[in-house]
Structure formats: C-alpha cells, structure tokens
mmCIF file of all heavy atoms in Angstrom:
data_model
loop_
_atom_site.group_PDB
_atom_site.id
_atom_site.type_symbol
_atom_site.label_atom_id
_atom_site.label_comp_id
_atom_site.label_asym_id
_atom_site.label_seq_id
_atom_site.Cartn_x
_atom_site.Cartn_y
_atom_site.Cartn_z
ATOM 1 N N CYS A 286 -10.313 17.422 -0.536
ATOM 2 C CA CYS A 286 -8.847 17.299 -0.473
ATOM 3 C C CYS A 286 -8.449 16.184 0.491
ATOM 4 O O CYS A 286 -7.518 15.418 0.227
ATOM 5 C CB CYS A 286 -8.231 18.624 -0.036
ATOM 6 S SG CYS A 286 -8.334 19.935 -1.269
ATOM 7 N N GLY A 287 -9.166 16.100 1.602
ATOM 8 C CA GLY A 287 -8.882 15.047 2.578
ATOM 9 C C GLY A 287 -9.110 13.667 2.012
ATOM 10 O O GLY A 287 -8.334 12.743 2.228
ATOM 11 N N ARG A 288 -10.200 13.513 1.232
ATOM 12 C CA ARG A 288 -10.475 12.210 0.617
ATOM 13 C C ARG A 288 -9.442 11.872 -0.450
ATOM 14 O O ARG A 288 -9.089 10.711 -0.653
ATOM 15 C CB ARG A 288 -11.881 12.176 0.004
ATOM 16 C CG ARG A 288 -13.020 12.409 0.968
ATOM 17 C CD ARG A 288 -12.782 11.864 2.361
ATOM 18 N NE ARG A 288 -12.742 10.402 2.387
ATOM 19 C CZ ARG A 288 -12.237 9.695 3.388
ATOM 20 N NH1 ARG A 288 -11.691 10.297 4.433
ATOM 21 N NH2 ARG A 288 -12.252 8.379 3.346
ATOM 22 N N PHE A 289 -8.935 12.901 -1.149
ATOM 23 C CA PHE A 289 -7.874 12.659 -2.134
ATOM 24 C C PHE A 289 -6.605 12.185 -1.438
ATOM 25 O O PHE A 289 -5.971 11.218 -1.867
ATOM 26 C CB PHE A 289 -7.573 13.930 -2.937
ATOM 27 C CG PHE A 289 -6.422 13.767 -3.899
ATOM 28 C CD1 PHE A 289 -6.635 13.231 -5.166
ATOM 29 C CD2 PHE A 289 -5.136 14.134 -3.530
ATOM 30 C CE1 PHE A 289 -5.577 13.064 -6.054
ATOM 31 C CE2 PHE A 289 -4.072 13.968 -4.406
ATOM 32 C CZ PHE A 289 -4.296 13.433 -5.673
ATOM 33 N N VAL A 290 -6.227 12.876 -0.365
ATOM 34 C CA VAL A 290 -5.022 12.505 0.386
ATOM 35 C C VAL A 290 -5.179 11.100 0.961
ATOM 36 O O VAL A 290 -4.240 10.290 0.925
ATOM 37 C CB VAL A 290 -4.741 13.532 1.511
ATOM 38 C CG1 VAL A 290 -3.621 13.055 2.415
ATOM 39 C CG2 VAL A 290 -4.397 14.883 0.906
ATOM 40 N N PHE A 291 -6.360 10.798 1.490
ATOM 41 C CA PHE A 291 -6.632 9.476 2.028
ATOM 42 C C PHE A 291 -6.498 8.410 0.932
ATOM 43 O O PHE A 291 -5.865 7.368 1.127
ATOM 44 C CB PHE A 291 -8.042 9.444 2.619
ATOM 45 C CG PHE A 291 -8.440 8.113 3.199
ATOM 46 C CD1 PHE A 291 -8.185 7.814 4.524
ATOM 47 C CD2 PHE A 291 -9.067 7.147 2.420
ATOM 48 C CE1 PHE A 291 -8.542 6.581 5.072
ATOM 49 C CE2 PHE A 291 -9.427 5.909 2.942
ATOM 50 C CZ PHE A 291 -9.159 5.631 4.273
ATOM 51 N N GLY A 292 -7.093 8.671 -0.228
ATOM 52 C CA GLY A 292 -6.999 7.733 -1.342
ATOM 53 C C GLY A 292 -5.570 7.578 -1.834
ATOM 54 O O GLY A 292 -5.129 6.468 -2.169
ATOM 55 N N PHE A 293 -4.838 8.677 -1.873
ATOM 56 C CA PHE A 293 -3.440 8.665 -2.302
ATOM 57 C C PHE A 293 -2.610 7.733 -1.406
ATOM 58 O O PHE A 293 -1.850 6.890 -1.893
ATOM 59 C CB PHE A 293 -2.894 10.087 -2.250
ATOM 60 C CG PHE A 293 -1.432 10.199 -2.574
ATOM 61 C CD1 PHE A 293 -0.975 9.959 -3.863
ATOM 62 C CD2 PHE A 293 -0.526 10.557 -1.596
ATOM 63 C CE1 PHE A 293 0.379 10.070 -4.156
ATOM 64 C CE2 PHE A 293 0.818 10.664 -1.879
ATOM 65 C CZ PHE A 293 1.282 10.425 -3.170
ATOM 66 N N ALA A 294 -2.776 7.905 -0.097
ATOM 67 C CA ALA A 294 -2.043 7.061 0.850
ATOM 68 C C ALA A 294 -2.461 5.604 0.732
ATOM 69 O O ALA A 294 -1.629 4.691 0.777
ATOM 70 C CB ALA A 294 -2.264 7.565 2.277
ATOM 71 N N SER A 295 -3.761 5.378 0.561
ATOM 72 C CA SER A 295 -4.266 4.005 0.431
ATOM 73 C C SER A 295 -3.688 3.327 -0.800
ATOM 74 O O SER A 295 -3.302 2.150 -0.760
ATOM 75 C CB SER A 295 -5.800 4.009 0.347
ATOM 76 O OG SER A 295 -6.372 4.556 1.517
ATOM 77 N N GLY A 296 -3.615 4.064 -1.910
ATOM 78 C CA GLY A 296 -3.065 3.506 -3.138
ATOM 79 C C GLY A 296 -1.611 3.110 -2.983
ATOM 80 O O GLY A 296 -1.182 2.053 -3.467
ATOM 81 N N ALA A 297 -0.837 3.966 -2.314
ATOM 82 C CA ALA A 297 0.575 3.655 -2.093
ATOM 83 C C ALA A 297 0.738 2.426 -1.202
ATOM 84 O O ALA A 297 1.608 1.575 -1.452
ATOM 85 C CB ALA A 297 1.275 4.861 -1.463
ATOM 86 N N LEU A 298 -0.095 2.317 -0.185
ATOM 87 C CA LEU A 298 -0.017 1.170 0.724
ATOM 88 C C LEU A 298 -0.438 -0.123 0.030
ATOM 89 O O LEU A 298 0.142 -1.184 0.277
ATOM 90 C CB LEU A 298 -0.896 1.414 1.954
ATOM 91 C CG LEU A 298 -0.392 2.504 2.905
ATOM 92 C CD1 LEU A 298 -1.442 2.832 3.952
ATOM 93 C CD2 LEU A 298 0.900 2.073 3.581
ATOM 94 N N VAL A 299 -1.425 -0.026 -0.846
ATOM 95 C CA VAL A 299 -1.859 -1.205 -1.597
ATOM 96 C C VAL A 299 -0.744 -1.689 -2.520
ATOM 97 O O VAL A 299 -0.625 -2.892 -2.790
ATOM 98 C CB VAL A 299 -3.140 -0.890 -2.408
ATOM 99 C CG1 VAL A 299 -3.430 -1.981 -3.425
ATOM 100 C CG2 VAL A 299 -4.327 -0.741 -1.465
ATOM 101 N N ALA A 300 0.093 -0.763 -2.988
ATOM 102 C CA ALA A 300 1.221 -1.143 -3.840
ATOM 103 C C ALA A 300 2.361 -1.745 -3.027
ATOM 104 O O ALA A 300 3.027 -2.684 -3.474
ATOM 105 C CB ALA A 300 1.723 0.077 -4.618
ATOM 106 N N ALA A 301 2.580 -1.216 -1.827
ATOM 107 C CA ALA A 301 3.734 -1.638 -1.021
ATOM 108 C C ALA A 301 3.498 -2.931 -0.247
ATOM 109 O O ALA A 301 4.391 -3.777 -0.159
ATOM 110 C CB ALA A 301 4.114 -0.523 -0.041
ATOM 111 N N THR A 302 2.306 -3.097 0.297
ATOM 112 C CA THR A 302 2.049 -4.239 1.177
ATOM 113 C C THR A 302 2.222 -5.596 0.505
ATOM 114 O O THR A 302 2.911 -6.475 1.043
ATOM 115 C CB THR A 302 0.644 -4.123 1.799
ATOM 116 O OG1 THR A 302 0.521 -2.859 2.465
ATOM 117 C CG2 THR A 302 0.413 -5.235 2.798
ATOM 118 N N PRO A 303 1.628 -5.822 -0.676
ATOM 119 C CA PRO A 303 1.837 -7.126 -1.316
ATOM 120 C C PRO A 303 3.305 -7.387 -1.658
ATOM 121 O O PRO A 303 3.752 -8.535 -1.649
ATOM 122 C CB PRO A 303 0.990 -7.036 -2.595
ATOM 123 C CG PRO A 303 0.006 -5.958 -2.327
ATOM 124 C CD PRO A 303 0.716 -4.983 -1.451
ATOM 125 N N LYS A 304 4.029 -6.306 -1.946
ATOM 126 C CA LYS A 304 5.453 -6.442 -2.261
ATOM 127 C C LYS A 304 6.221 -6.954 -1.052
ATOM 128 O O LYS A 304 7.077 -7.845 -1.167
ATOM 129 C CB LYS A 304 6.005 -5.079 -2.698
ATOM 130 C CG LYS A 304 7.411 -5.126 -3.252
ATOM 131 C CD LYS A 304 7.441 -5.672 -4.651
ATOM 132 C CE LYS A 304 8.810 -5.522 -5.283
ATOM 133 N NZ LYS A 304 8.867 -6.149 -6.633
ATOM 134 N N ILE A 305 5.924 -6.426 0.115
ATOM 135 C CA ILE A 305 6.586 -6.860 1.343
ATOM 136 C C ILE A 305 6.267 -8.327 1.626
ATOM 137 O O ILE A 305 7.157 -9.110 1.965
ATOM 138 C CB ILE A 305 6.136 -5.984 2.536
ATOM 139 C CG1 ILE A 305 6.632 -4.558 2.347
ATOM 140 C CG2 ILE A 305 6.654 -6.558 3.854
ATOM 141 C CD1 ILE A 305 6.112 -3.582 3.386
ATOM 142 N N ILE A 306 5.002 -8.681 1.468
ATOM 143 C CA ILE A 306 4.598 -10.075 1.710
ATOM 144 C C ILE A 306 5.304 -11.008 0.729
ATOM 145 O O ILE A 306 5.860 -12.037 1.122
ATOM 146 C CB ILE A 306 3.074 -10.220 1.595
ATOM 147 C CG1 ILE A 306 2.375 -9.435 2.707
ATOM 148 C CG2 ILE A 306 2.664 -11.700 1.661
ATOM 149 C CD1 ILE A 306 0.878 -9.364 2.569
ATOM 150 N N GLY A 307 5.292 -10.640 -0.542
ATOM 151 C CA GLY A 307 5.902 -11.479 -1.564
ATOM 152 C C GLY A 307 7.403 -11.636 -1.407
ATOM 153 O O GLY A 307 7.969 -12.668 -1.785
ATOM 154 N N GLU A 308 8.056 -10.616 -0.848
ATOM 155 C CA GLU A 308 9.509 -10.649 -0.686
ATOM 156 C C GLU A 308 9.943 -11.225 0.657
ATOM 157 O O GLU A 308 11.131 -11.299 0.938
ATOM 158 C CB GLU A 308 10.084 -9.239 -0.831
ATOM 159 C CG GLU A 308 9.978 -8.672 -2.235
ATOM 160 C CD GLU A 308 10.644 -7.316 -2.356
ATOM 161 O OE1 GLU A 308 11.015 -6.743 -1.302
ATOM 162 O OE2 GLU A 308 10.797 -6.836 -3.483
ATOM 163 N N THR A 309 9.003 -11.612 1.476
ATOM 164 C CA THR A 309 9.336 -12.100 2.815
ATOM 165 C C THR A 309 8.823 -13.517 3.077
ATOM 166 O O THR A 309 9.564 -14.374 3.566
ATOM 167 C CB THR A 309 8.768 -11.149 3.892
ATOM 168 O OG1 THR A 309 9.280 -9.835 3.690
ATOM 169 C CG2 THR A 309 9.148 -11.623 5.281
ATOM 170 N N ILE A 310 7.566 -13.770 2.772
ATOM 171 C CA ILE A 310 6.953 -15.063 3.078
ATOM 172 C C ILE A 310 7.464 -16.129 2.103
ATOM 173 O O ILE A 310 7.403 -15.944 0.888
ATOM 174 C CB ILE A 310 5.420 -14.982 2.997
ATOM 175 C CG1 ILE A 310 4.899 -13.891 3.944
ATOM 176 C CG2 ILE A 310 4.800 -16.327 3.341
ATOM 177 C CD1 ILE A 310 5.234 -14.109 5.386
ATOM 178 N N PRO A 311 7.971 -17.253 2.607
ATOM 179 C CA PRO A 311 8.432 -18.343 1.726
ATOM 180 C C PRO A 311 7.309 -18.848 0.825
ATOM 181 O O PRO A 311 6.143 -18.900 1.232
ATOM 182 C CB PRO A 311 8.873 -19.428 2.720
ATOM 183 C CG PRO A 311 9.161 -18.695 3.995
ATOM 184 C CD PRO A 311 8.183 -17.553 4.027
ATOM 185 N N GLY A 312 7.670 -19.202 -0.401
ATOM 186 C CA GLY A 312 6.677 -19.622 -1.379
ATOM 187 C C GLY A 312 5.838 -20.807 -0.945
ATOM 188 O O GLY A 312 4.650 -20.887 -1.267
#
C-alpha cells in the first residue's frame, strides 16, 4: 500500500512539474 501511495504521488508530480515549467519559463 505504501508503494502504491508513493507511486500515486510520484505520478501526480510528474504530471504537474513539467506543466509549471512550461507555463513559467520563457520559450
């Protein structure tokens, strides 16, 4: 269960982080 929760959080962060970079850093 702990590894599932860890993977779940990692997946969400992998989705969010590139979005933040793409919406902030000038092209």
Side-chain angles (χ1 to χ4, degrees):
C286 290
R288 300 326 292 163
F289 176 85
V290 172
F291 180 90
F293 176 69
S295 299
L298 291 170
V299 167
T302 305
K304 189 76 171 176
I305 294 173
I306 294 172
E308 292 184 350
T309 302
I310 303 300

